[in-house]
Amino acid sequence: MADPILFYEPFDEHGFLSNFYPSNILLESKVWPTSEHYYQAKKFTSPQIINAIYSAPTPEKAFELSRTYQDEVRANWEEIKWQTMDFIVREKFSQNSQLAFWLVNTGSEEIKEHSHKDSYWGDGGDGTGENHLGRILMTIRAELCTTSPYNLTRFVDVAKLPTQWGEFQMNAFVELEHDKEHLALVYGDISQVDTPLIRLHSECLTGDALFSDRCDCGYQLARALQNIVNEGAGILLYLRQEGRGIGLLNKVRAYHLQDDGADTVQANERLGFPADMRRYEFCQGMLGYLGVKQVRLMTNNPRKVKALEKAGINVIDRVSLQEGKNPHNENYLKTKASKLGICWTLLSLNRVFLIPLKRRSPLSNVRGLVFTVLYRLEEGNY
């Protein structure tokens, strides 16, 4: 049996479960800085005392003030204190969705407030307490676990990922419905960015790791990571949806059909698949865990914008990512534009510049030199 999750101090591991953890809660035009402020204030009916506790600079000070005025606690407090705690803890997680994702990610382990000072809300320090706060948290968790978007993904772990562009934090997730593994590469402090720059990049082994010029995927991956670093903060979601969702082996079969004259859409359809099987609704679980509600999305694909917005992520801006056009993928890009709605700007050959750029496979130490051809851009899309 797994050990219970113990919490007490707000900035220790699992400290977000504490009533002392900073979490703004809007109620009746007042923004309470913590659930502790609200709980302590509700002990009283005096507007002056309530306002003093509301204005307390810290939850510790709010707690102290309630002790100072303990002779003025409302007569029925013992009757209503459980309902008061249940209400404000629910509001805390309802209004702070990132905390709700973190709560769900505690799994099925027992949750206990590990306080030797409180045997009613906590475990009394020796495990014999009634642990009512822990019970409330576990009830809320059970309800969230059956509710979208909290039941879409599960966070697994995070590790540093140094790259040629900079050091990212590599967050691993499991998509629960299909048991697929996905990554969120985070650069910088996204908590300080209201609308971070992000990219949804579907896995492409041939383009990302094997330098294939049949597509533009590897080029776009490199450019997206560079753009995020240049921005100072951002996220790249690396999604395990090889071959627009048909998988690696079927992708090879589709390439064979393309070698025989089919375009990229016809090849998928001849194999019995839709033109694009990728899904993006589960991305809300990944972005929500990271605390992201609105984004600037790097993509040439309007469908990704619609999919994210349908999933509840507000796309403030679509940032074009036109990278990697070459003689081997020109027909591929034209097909994506004409049949899949991908926005590729119509290019003129009137002016051509060759600019050498370093390109490196994420899975290899091999360095190569590729050339990006920059054309004079003209109005219009494929």
Side-chain angles (χ1 to χ4, degrees):
M1 184 176 178
D3 293 333
I5 292 173
L6 305 178
F7 72 93
Y8 185 65
E9 296 294 342
F11 297 106
D12 289 347
E13 185 178 11
H14 302 300
F16 71 94
L17 299 169
S18 168
N19 282 339
F20 284 51
Y21 190 83
S23 49
N24 290 342
I25 304 167
L26 175 62
L27 295 169
E28 298 178 351
S29 302
K30 278 190 173 183
V31 178
W32 297 84
T34 69
S35 49
E36 184 69 13
H37 281 77
Y38 179 88
Y39 176 79
Q40 297 299 339
K42 292 300 286 184
K43 292 181 178 180
F44 306 95
T45 57
S46 164
Q48 291 79 14
I49 297 176
I50 291 173
N51 188 60
I53 294 175
Y54 169 77
S55 303
T58 66
E60 289 83 4
K61 186 62 178 178
F63 179 86
E64 290 175 10
L65 284 171
S66 75
R67 295 297 179 267
T68 300
Y69 298 111
Q70 60 183 349
D71 292 340
E72 299 187 50
V73 171
R74 63 193 340 168
N76 66 337
W77 177 242
E78 287 300 314
E79 299 172 18
I80 67 170
K81 69 178 183 180
W82 189 93
Q83 290 87 347
T84 302
M85 180 69 81
D86 181 72
F87 169 77
I88 195 57
V89 173
R90 287 180 178 277
E91 286 296 319
K92 168 184 173 179
F93 287 97
S94 173
Q95 296 189 32
N96 296 271
S97 60
Q98 186 176 28
L99 301 186
F101 279 103
W102 294 356
L103 176 59
V104 169
N105 213 67
T106 60
S108 59
E109 283 77 9
E110 185 178 12
I111 298 174
K112 291 185 176 183
E113 183 186 44
H114 191 50
S115 170
H116 66 278
K117 300 177 182 178
D118 192 336
S119 60
Y120 180 81
W121 293 119
D123 67 357
D126 60 1
T128 62
E130 296 179 59
N131 191 39
H132 284 288
L133 179 54
R135 294 175 186 274
I136 289 173
L137 289 165
M138 288 185 285
T139 299
I140 296 171
R141 180 181 65 186
E143 294 168 1
L144 290 172
C145 282
T146 63
T147 306
S148 181
Y150 305 106
N151 60 353
L152 297 177
T153 59
R154 175 173 56 84
F155 172 79
V156 177
D157 211 340
V158 60
K160 295 178 182 178
L161 182 69
T163 74
Q164 69 184 81
W165 302 279
E167 183 173 280
F168 290 76
Q169 293 293 315
M170 179 170 57
N171 297 264
F173 292 85
V174 173
E175 178 193 351
L176 296 177
E177 183 178 358
H178 297 96
D179 200 33
K180 284 189 175 182
E181 301 167 351
H182 307 286
L183 296 176
L185 305 184
V186 178
Y187 183 82
D189 186 358
I190 57 173
S191 68
Q192 300 302 310
V193 182
D194 182 56
T195 309
L197 181 67
I198 77 163
R199 163 78 175 161
L200 309 185
H201 188 89
S202 295
E203 177 185 36
C204 176
L205 178 68
T206 51
D208 298 342
L210 301 179
F211 309 104
S212 171
D213 279 339
R214 297 186 70 137
C215 63
D216 53 346
C217 302
Y219 297 94
Q220 288 189 329
L221 175 61
R223 177 55 63 190
L225 292 172
Q226 182 65 70
N227 288 350
I228 287 170
V229 171
N230 292 345
E231 191 80 6
I235 304 168
L236 185 137
L237 299 189
Y238 196 83
L239 311 176
R240 305 298 298 276
Q241 303 190 117
E242 179 75 53
R244 297 200 302 275
I246 67 176
L248 182 60
L249 299 185
N250 283 320
K251 178 179 178 179
V252 175
R253 294 186 178 101
Y255 274 0
H256 187 170
L257 293 174
Q258 291 175 49
D259 290 341
D260 291 339
D263 64 38
T264 182
V265 170
Q266 292 168 341
N268 278 29
E269 292 174 344
R270 289 179 189 177
L271 291 173
F273 300 110
D276 193 341
M277 295 177 61
R278 290 174 296 180
R279 301 161 40 258
Y280 302 104
E281 62 273 9
F282 64 89
C283 296
Q284 187 185 11
M286 300 171 71
L287 292 172
Y289 185 89
L290 297 171
V292 175
K293 296 181 179 179
Q294 58 183 24
V295 301
R296 293 161 53 224
L297 180 64
M298 279 187 286
T299 185
N300 302 322
N301 187 350
R303 295 183 183 183
K304 286 185 181 180
V305 176
K306 293 179 180 178
L308 270 193
E309 290 179 336
K310 185 178 180 180
I313 302 296
N314 189 15
V315 180
I316 300 299
D317 189 22
R318 182 181 73 83
V319 180
S320 179
L321 190 65
Q322 300 196 3
E323 192 80 18
K325 184 178 185 292
N326 66 78
H328 299 285
N329 65 22
E330 189 170 357
N331 288 332
Y332 164 81
L333 295 176
K334 287 181 178 180
T335 300
K336 290 212 302 180
S338 63
K339 294 187 176 183
L340 298 178
I342 307 301
C343 297
W344 260 89
T345 303
L346 189 61
L347 301 176
S348 168
L349 297 180
N350 291 344
R351 294 173 61 185
V352 179
F353 302 92
L354 297 180
I355 299 179
L357 297 172
K358 287 182 179 179
R359 181 179 179 211
R360 183 183 180 190
S361 164
L363 303 181
S364 168
N365 287 325
V366 178
R367 289 182 183 271
L369 199 61
V370 300
F371 291 93
T372 297
V373 181
L374 299 184
Y375 301 90
R376 185 178 69 189
L377 301 183
E378 294 184 347
E379 294 297 326
N381 293 312
Y382 283 94

